[in-house]
Amino acid sequence: MNRVKEFRKVAGLTQYQLAKQVAVARQTINLVENDKYNPSLDLCIRLAKALNTDLNHLFWEE
């Protein structure tokens, strides 16, 4: 389980806006948020940066 959706909502971003920031399709963000896609390390890092957090908080710590 990850916290991408939680951090995205706190940041006030739509899936589309976040997708544009990290250069992926909106559908990719949806799949990541619903644990149906295992993102690459590169995408994880881009997501963490776009959401002003780190990988631990975004993907491992609850």
Side-chain angles (χ1 to χ4, degrees), residues 11 14-15 23 25 36 38 41-42 49 54:
T14 65
Q15 287 181 345
K36 296 185 179 188
N38 192 11
L41 179 58
D42 179 57
K49 285 182 179 179
D54 59 53

Side-chain angles (χ1 to χ4, degrees), residues 40-55:
S40 66
L41 179 58
D42 179 57
L43 178 53
C44 291
I45 291 169
R46 288 183 287 161
L47 286 167
K49 285 182 179 179
L51 296 170
N52 296 313
T53 190
D54 59 53
L55 294 177

Side-chain angles (χ1 to χ4, degrees), residues 12-44:
L13 297 171
T14 65
Q15 287 181 345
Y16 179 76
Q17 290 167 325
L18 179 58
K20 282 188 76 166
Q21 285 188 19
V22 299
V24 297
R26 183 205 56 81
Q27 291 85 348
T28 302
I29 299 299
N30 182 272
L31 291 170
V32 171
E33 288 183 353
N34 290 295
D35 288 320
K36 296 185 179 188
Y37 179 77
N38 192 11
S40 66
L41 179 58
D42 179 57
L43 178 53
C44 291

